[in-house]
Amino acid sequence: MSDARRVAEVLRAGRPGDDVLVRGWLRTARHAKGVSFLEVSDGSCFAGLQVVADPELPNFEAEVRKLGTGCAVEARGALVESPGKGQRVELQARELSLVGGVDDDYPLQKKRHSFEFLRTIAHLRPRTNTFGAVLRVRNAAARAVHGFFQERGFVLLHAPIITLSDAEGAGEMFPVAGSEEFFGSQAHLTVSGQLEAEIAALALGQVYTFGPTFRAENSNTSRHLAEFWMIEPEMAFCDLAGNADLAEAFLKHVIQQVLADCPDDMTFFDQRIDPGVRERLEHVVASEFERLTYDEAVGLLEGSGRDFEFPVRWGIDLQSEHERWLAEEKVGRPLVVTDYPREIKAFYMYLNDDERSVRAMDVLVPRVGEIVGGSQREHRHDVLRQRMAEAGLPEEQYWWYLDLRRYGSVPHAGFGVGFERLVQFMTGMANIRDVIPFPRVPGYAEF
Ligand code: 4AD
């Protein structure tokens, strides 16, 4: 459509003398005596391109001198070597035009804004350094997710968003209004694509979903969203050990790819958001994940001498403070905790011979705590029926899930990764609301 170049490409490959056209928004405009310096950002990379304008431009006084932060511009000219530090080249404008001006009340002035304030202007925050970087890291991570599974022969499954069943059996679902009349049954927004992924895995062997999921839990925390994206691989003929290996390889792959694809964004997160985050990620990639059973983890926690807010005893669900102590202080690297008490885990997890624990696994990482949850699935028809009865789940609703256990059932396993938790871990952003473009949380669904 045009010969415009992306700023990322100009900064990477542009050479003095090249004639280029760039388009973008002004991050800053500095009007000095007889010359204006404009930083143009088009979102393609962390840095902007410095555009230099001088009085030879016919619209210099009438237009250029009035440009300010947020204006959309188009600039054409020759690249010249930049005398300033931090950039190799800058653009000496031969033509500079205003495409879209900015009203006086533009809220994104040069000063630092709090993340809380920026959430209230989610339509403008992608223009800030931080959110541009977050969105590019999200993109690189999504690409890495698909790359990881596609290279290994996993088939992408599009799981439904409107569903009749509660995949987690936890009852934290958003009802779909009018579904009784429309579908003939009360429908909800999905909490997980796992049960459908199991259907596909028992035909295609290895599948994964990557889509939005919804939880109506009233958790107003820095790690919970009402709408989040989840990645759920599922493998037939696989046990818990194979599942944990896949989760470890997956996390390492995505992290490595993001470090390679977004070096400048990661430098920003490392310097300005969470000092040390890059080293922490490199450490994760290089280290072997520890594996502990729930019994072992509880033993370590009990022996820690720590005064936890939630006291530790066998049978409790591990709280964030316990997970973080294990990952950050005891083990010092990510760990996989397996074989949780049956009472605290979902009905579909494989019951161990001890009958008190199930083949569940959580991957815990420093800072974030639980980032992956998964299990080997109960593939024995009789045991599954018994577990569903205990959980109070009606068989009529899960008839097809039970059928899978009657027709060619095999051991199978899978896990779910919260995509935002993963992006949070990689960027060091403190609040999960700041790693998704438009957060949905209790009391808020604007934009
Ligand atoms: O542990 P969860 O609930 O597991 C499942 O949904 C299984 N069906 C997964 C499977 O075995 N296929 O959720 C999985 C992950 C968590 O580890 C966490 O990273 C993320 O999803 N998660 C959330 N992320 C943001 N906001 C929330 N409210 C989340 N709840 C879970």
Side-chain angles (χ1 to χ4, degrees):
M1 166 190 136
S2 82
D3 52 353
R5 305 246 307 256
R6 299 284 279 163
V7 167
E9 199 238 318
V10 171
L11 290 175
R12 187 179 61 242
R15 286 199 309 240
D18 289 357
D19 199 70
V20 301
L21 168 68
V22 294
R23 295 179 171 138
W25 293 266
L26 296 186
R27 229 177 230 171
T28 56
R30 193 157 57 82
H31 301 292
K33 197 156 178 275
V35 60
S36 288
F37 299 99
L38 311 165
E39 188 191 353
V40 176
S41 164
D42 65 0
S44 58
C45 60
F46 189 81
L49 178 66
Q50 165 134 299
V51 173
V52 184
D54 62 31
E56 279 175 33
L57 291 171
N59 59 343
F60 188 71
E61 286 305 332
E63 202 165 67
V64 174
R65 299 301 260 180
K66 295 177 186 145
L67 293 175
T69 299
C71 286
V73 300
E74 195 170 76
R76 191 189 287 278
L79 294 182
V80 295
E81 232 164 271
S82 175
K85 59 178 169 49
Q87 72 237 343
R88 230 172 17 89
V89 288
E90 59 188 39
L91 189 146
Q92 181 68 49
R94 196 170 64 245
E95 287 165 34
L96 180 62
S97 51
L98 175 66
V99 180
V102 154
D103 287 359
D104 288 342
D105 59 353
Y106 187 58
L108 279 182
Q109 295 306 328
K110 183 69 189 160
K111 73 184 181 80
R112 248 183 124 74
H113 299 287
S114 73
F115 290 144
E116 287 76 13
F117 169 69
L118 291 175
R119 268 174 232 147
T120 69
I121 52 165
H123 59 310
L124 297 171
R125 70 175 184 169
R127 298 186 190 180
T128 62
N129 283 340
T130 307
F131 288 91
V134 163
L135 293 179
R136 281 185 299 272
V137 164
R138 243 187 109 94
N139 172 64
R143 194 169 86 89
V145 167
H146 287 296
F148 177 82
F149 290 117
Q150 295 293 330
E151 276 161 28
R152 284 165 180 73
F154 283 65
V155 175
L156 173 65
L157 179 80
H158 297 111
I161 288 171
I162 297 175
T163 177
L164 303 185
S165 57
D166 178 359
E168 291 302 301
E172 291 167 335
M173 299 172 298
F174 288 105
V176 174
S179 55
E180 289 266 12
E181 302 85 80
F182 195 94
F183 300 110
S185 308
Q186 179 60 55
H188 312 273
L189 299 182
T190 185
V191 294
S192 156
Q194 177 195 321
L195 305 194
E196 289 85 2
E198 286 185 55
I199 294 178
L202 292 172
L204 301 168
Q206 300 183 327
V207 301
Y208 71 106
T209 70
F210 188 174
T213 52
F214 308 86
R215 304 261 167 117
E217 53 186 339
N218 201 2
S219 297
N220 234 323
T221 81
S222 60
R223 305 183 317 130
H224 288 89
L225 291 164
E227 174 181 295
F228 63 100
W229 287 65
M230 188 150 51
I231 302 139
E232 295 185 277
E234 191 71 32
M235 290 173 291
F237 303 103
C238 182
D239 62 8
L240 191 63
N243 203 27
D245 290 346
L246 187 78
E248 178 172 346
F250 167 83
L251 290 174
K252 288 178 174 174
H253 174 89
V254 175
I255 292 170
Q256 222 161 4
Q257 195 74 51
V258 165
L259 287 172
D261 285 358
C262 305
D264 296 344
D265 294 321
M266 287 309 304
T267 297
F268 168 75
F269 289 119
D270 195 45
Q271 289 178 350
R272 305 292 290 277
I273 299 291
D274 182 13
V277 66
R278 177 181 263 138
E279 202 184 311
R280 195 153 60 237
L281 294 177
E282 283 164 354
H283 179 63
V284 167
V285 171
S287 64
E288 217 171 285
F289 291 14
E290 177 80 89
R291 281 160 177 70
L292 288 179
T293 64
Y294 173 89
D295 289 2
E296 290 166 338
V298 166
L300 292 173
L301 287 159
E302 281 173 339
S304 68
R306 278 301 172 94
D307 198 11
F308 292 114
E309 192 189 330
F310 295 90
V312 179
R313 54 171 176 77
W314 198 93
I316 63 152
D317 202 1
L318 298 184
Q319 302 294 318
S320 184
E321 55 173 340
H322 308 136
E323 296 175 343
R324 291 187 56 172
W325 179 82
L326 285 165
E328 287 164 23
E329 297 186 43
K330 183 64 197 173
V331 177
R333 58 180 192 278
L335 68 153
V336 189
V337 180
T338 62
D339 302 288
Y340 284 74
R342 63 192 279 181
E343 281 77 19
I344 58 171
K345 289 291 183 185
F347 69 96
Y348 53 70
M349 299 189 179
Y350 185 95
L351 186 63
N352 278 320
D353 290 344
D354 66 12
E355 297 213 340
R356 63 174 204 155
S357 65
V358 289
R359 277 190 199 157
M361 65 170 208
D362 281 356
V363 180
L364 314 180
V365 294
R367 295 292 181 100
V368 171
E370 180 197 328
I371 198 167
V372 175
S375 69
Q376 184 175 327
R377 316 307 186 187
E378 186 53 77
H379 70 284
R380 299 164 297 185
H381 188 249
D382 51 338
V383 184
L384 181 61
R385 284 188 65 198
Q386 189 195 323
R387 294 272 290 147
M388 286 177 55
E390 280 167 23
L393 299 175
E395 287 196 11
E396 314 82 75
Q397 225 173 63
Y398 296 85
W399 62 273
W400 46 271
Y401 193 67
L402 284 161
D403 262 6
L404 295 174
R405 277 68 185 167
R406 300 196 298 128
Y407 307 136
S409 188
V410 301
H412 60 288
F415 58 84
V417 190
F419 188 56
E420 286 73 24
R421 295 255 178 105
L422 184 55
V423 175
Q424 233 189 324
F425 180 60
M426 292 189 294
T427 56
M429 293 293 287
N431 197 309
I432 198 164
R433 298 169 195 205
D434 300 329
V435 296
I436 187 164
F438 307 106
R440 273 81 182 93
V441 295
Y444 202 76
E446 186 87 45
F447 305 100

